[in-house]
Amino acid sequence: MADKKTILITGATAGFGWACARLFAAHNWRLILCGRRRERLEELREILADSAVHIAVCDVRDQGQVAVMIDGLPEEYSRIDVLLNNAGLALGLNHAQSADMEDWETMVDTNIKGLLYLTRAVLPAMVASGRGQVVNMGSVAGSWPYPGGNTYGATKAFVQQFSRNLRADLHGTGVRVTNIEPGMAETEFSLVRFHGDRDQAGNVYQGVTPLTGDDIAEIVYWTVCRPQHVNINSVEVMPTCQSWSPFAVHRESGQG
Ligand code: NDP
Ligand code: 8X3
């Protein structure tokens, strides 16, 4: 029987990360699960009691904590086949002129710098072994602007271009890179975006059928299971109920 493969999932305590943990466990993968909420990680480890699971409480914004997590992996978890850079968040939906600078900094620190810390820590071993895959969680917001998306969308545009540049750097190494770009999905995302306001978060999903964590997990798993000679560069996916709006046009008052 082939040896188990190992995936490191950041942001495994909720949403996409949680769904990916369950799906990869069901396919007999060895899991390294990372997030800040220890109790959620322990709950997930219990749910996945039949699987090989290593949990790591880690704030991806802290490069020191990331280094401790990677350096402290037990021997059997130390060869990472897939890094799923999923930890991330949107904070606020204010227009730029009234946005909270602390929210902006948190998004940059998490969605950009955290992803960089993990990638830089894991890549050398992948390159040395001649295989591996980095799967980044981007967003449609990285390609398509919307009011209030300002810094969140810009962090995901970074993820999109960084993913492409990684492919350029990793040319010929056998290491694959994929950027997943989901649209609206019901997770804890909106609850976090609206700083815990359940009504505001609930309104986002009123009367629609959004994507689910399981939908995204299946896509992540599909990209990882392509044959080694196939690299899925990006997957953009929206719920059927979501599409684009026309350009907004501001008209001078009195001009109709
Ligand atoms: P959730 O809020 O449900 O999950 C976010 C996860 O990120 C949690 O596990 C959280 O864990 C983790 N996380 C946040 N900050 C940190 C940190 N500093 N260190 C470690 N872990 C952190 O949201 P989603 O599952 O929806 O989001 C996952 C990814 O998908 C994000 O990158 C998001 O931008 C992206 N995305 C989401 C979409 C959506 O509509 N839901 C659409 C497109 C992309 P903890 O709080 O325990 O640290
Ligand atoms: C999350 C999707 O449209 O709320 O990345 O920005 S959206």
Side-chain angles (χ1 to χ4, degrees):
M1 197 178 80
D3 192 23
K4 274 183 199 284
K5 288 194 168 178
T6 301
I7 182 168
L8 189 166
I9 302 175
T10 67
T13 59
F16 297 166
W18 181 284
C20 286
R22 294 188 63 140
L23 185 65
F24 278 80
H27 287 281
N28 204 28
W29 280 59
R30 195 183 282 120
L31 310 172
I32 304 163
L33 305 178
C34 151
R36 290 166 301 176
R37 286 171 287 180
R38 174 180 294 282
E39 67 288 354
R40 289 282 189 95
L41 292 173
E42 285 173 353
E43 184 188 344
L44 191 48
R45 182 167 56 185
E46 260 178 48
I47 291 171
L48 304 176
D50 293 335
S51 304
V53 176
H54 173 75
I55 60 172
V57 178
C58 175
D59 186 331
V60 298
R61 292 171 297 176
D62 184 329
Q63 191 177 8
Q65 287 188 32
V66 171
V68 166
M69 171 172 72
I70 301 297
D71 294 346
L73 288 173
E75 172 63 25
E76 67 272 29
Y77 291 86
S78 61
R79 189 175 170 278
I80 297 167
D81 296 284
V82 174
L83 166 63
L84 175 55
N85 273 319
N86 166 73
L89 76 179
L91 289 171
L93 201 54
N94 284 4
H95 289 193
Q97 61 272 29
S98 60
D100 185 311
M101 184 53 73
E102 208 176 306
D103 283 351
W104 279 8
E105 286 177 343
T106 303
M107 289 186 277
V108 168
D109 289 347
T110 311
N111 302 356
I112 296 180
K113 294 174 73 176
L115 181 142
L116 294 179
Y117 296 151
L118 262 297
T119 306
R120 185 63 184 80
V122 164
L123 270 185
M126 284 186 177
V127 170
S129 70
R131 55 200 303 146
Q133 186 168 346
V134 178
V135 181
N136 292 328
M137 199 55 72
S139 167
V140 293
S143 300
W144 313 110
Y146 61 84
N150 44 68
T151 297
Y152 176 68
T155 65
K156 294 302 186 178
F158 175 94
V159 173
Q160 181 185 77
Q161 192 62 6
F162 183 65
S163 302
R164 292 173 178 159
N165 279 334
L166 274 181
R167 285 230 63 217
D169 283 357
L170 295 168
H171 183 79
T173 65
V175 178
R176 304 187 294 180
V177 183
T178 302
N179 187 31
I180 312 284
E181 303 174 1
M184 178 193 280
E186 188 164 7
T187 60
E188 293 179 5
F189 178 83
S190 293
L191 194 61
V192 171
R193 171 168 246 173
F194 297 117
H195 296 281
D197 184 327
R198 290 194 176 274
D199 291 337
Q200 245 187 313
N203 286 341
V204 174
Y205 309 112
Q206 275 294 318
V208 302
T209 305
L211 298 170
T212 65
D214 290 339
D215 293 327
I216 301 306
E218 282 177 21
I219 291 168
V220 170
Y221 188 71
W222 174 78
T223 71
V224 165
C225 292
R226 293 311 83 216
Q228 172 61 21
H229 70 282
V230 178
N231 188 100
I232 305 296
N233 294 337
S234 63
V235 179
E236 183 182 78
V237 53
M238 290 178 178
T240 308
C241 64
Q242 185 178 33
S243 67
W244 300 269
S245 291
F247 288 122
V249 178
H250 173 73
R251 298 184 192 281
E252 301 298 329
S253 57
Q255 300 278 306

